[in-house]
Amino acid sequence: MTASTRTDIPFPLPARPAAGEIFQTERTVRLGDVDTTGRLRLDSVARYAMDIGYDHLGFIDDGDLHPAWLVTRTVIDVLGPIGFGERLRVQRWPSALSNRWFTARIHLEGEDGGLVEVEQFLINVDPVAGRPARMTERFMAPMLAVTTDHRLRWRPVLEPVADSAPATAFPLRATDFDHYGHVNNAVHWQVVEEELTARPTRRATPYRAVVEHLSAITAGQEVTVRAETSRDALRLRVDADRTVATLARVTSLPA
């Protein structure tokens, strides 16, 4: 079997397996999850994805032995807008893996017709050593049973934004940091939300937003955002102390 080395992200994202264990749950879109129009925000979707992942750990053998995860990429396909108060049917399953990381697919389907598909590239991290760690055989067993790609490799797909793009400051707050002292994954999506608010036509559904994390952002760093727009995409770059920390891209999807 050849290793998976994407040059870009396919559409549609990998489908649910025909058989095997799929984690299912429900949640309701609350007031703090939406913007002023009542639309579920992208940073809320990213937070849902991580929260659901930790919920899932409680139902997997050796889930308690895998408490720390690093998100290197999140793909969010907004196929139909989800609104305030909507009850969501949630499904989560693996789509590919190696022995230290895997891609998780999350399906969010609203009772009023909203639909969002998510894929995350997640690295299992040793919480003491702080480096990628092998997942246990018991933990991987149900993932191996529903996937065919077992040699997943990390490969970034987003293009950098030029230094010549205008930079704007993005001040951080104490609540932006997680247990490990890093800016929480969902906060990076707040940058995308901020830029899309100024460019509402980029939100015309269906659309895809992708965020890739290149390095962590920690307390005390000076954070700036650079944006480039073209006919087909909005591209973003987040710098921390003049080092590229995050890249993002928003594009339209085929209807």
Side-chain angles (χ1 to χ4, degrees):
M1 182 185 300
T2 58
S4 172
T5 53
R6 287 178 176 173
T7 56
D8 209 335
I9 304 159
F11 176 78
L13 292 170
R16 290 186 294 270
E21 296 181 14
I22 295 177
F23 179 68
Q24 301 192 57
T25 186
E26 292 184 348
R27 69 191 300 140
T28 301
V29 178
R30 304 298 187 186
L31 188 62
D33 302 329
V34 299
D35 65 7
T36 56
T37 70
R39 175 193 55 84
L40 178 65
R41 301 191 314 268
L42 294 173
D43 59 299
S44 300
V45 174
R47 178 166 44 81
Y48 282 7
M50 290 305 297
D51 289 348
I52 292 161
Y54 277 104
D55 290 345
H56 193 180
L57 287 178
F59 293 85
I60 304 174
D61 287 339
D62 287 356
D64 59 322
L65 302 180
H66 301 76
W69 295 89
L70 177 66
V71 183
T72 57
R73 176 167 56 232
T74 302
V75 182
I76 299 177
D77 287 351
V78 181
L79 306 179
I82 292 174
F84 171 60
E86 200 162 349
R87 189 69 179 170
L88 304 181
R89 181 169 67 97
V90 180
Q91 295 178 316
R92 185 180 190 263
W93 67 92
S95 52
L97 72 151
S98 186
N99 57 26
R100 288 175 172 79
W101 46 74
F102 76 102
T103 46
R105 280 278 285 108
I106 301 99
H107 171 87
L108 304 171
E109 183 178 349
E111 61 184 351
D112 298 329
L115 179 60
V116 173
E117 301 284 2
V118 182
E119 183 182 74
Q120 289 188 311
F121 195 110
L122 299 169
I123 299 177
N124 180 48
V125 176
D126 183 317
V128 177
R131 59 175 177 264
R134 184 183 178 93
M135 297 179 285
T136 69
E137 297 298 328
R138 292 181 66 201
F139 186 83
M140 287 190 291
M143 294 196 284
L144 292 168
V146 298
T147 55
T148 57
D149 184 355
H150 301 155
R151 298 182 62 193
L152 178 67
R153 292 182 181 176
W154 166 252
R155 182 188 179 102
V157 300
L158 297 187
E159 300 175 356
V161 172
D163 290 341
S164 57
T168 57
F170 191 82
L172 297 177
R173 301 177 180 178
T175 52
D176 293 336
F177 298 91
D178 61 20
H179 174 66
Y180 300 101
H182 299 157
V183 167
N184 184 270
N185 168 54
V187 175
H188 296 254
W189 282 93
Q190 291 176 13
V191 174
V192 182
E193 276 288 330
E194 190 76 19
E195 296 296 329
L196 284 176
T197 298
R199 303 169 180 85
T201 58
R202 298 280 181 179
R203 279 207 185 100
T205 53
Y207 72 93
R208 165 173 287 178
V210 183
V211 165
E212 288 185 343
H213 304 280
L214 307 181
S215 63
I217 300 176
T218 57
Q221 291 187 300
E222 180 182 356
V223 177
T224 57
V225 178
R226 298 180 188 273
E228 286 181 340
T229 59
S230 64
R231 186 168 59 104
D232 63 336
L234 165 65
R235 293 181 174 83
L236 305 174
R237 172 179 135 192
V238 180
D239 291 353
D241 286 349
R242 302 182 182 180
T243 297
V244 180
T246 304
L247 296 174
R249 182 180 68 193
V250 180
T251 54
S252 297
L253 290 171

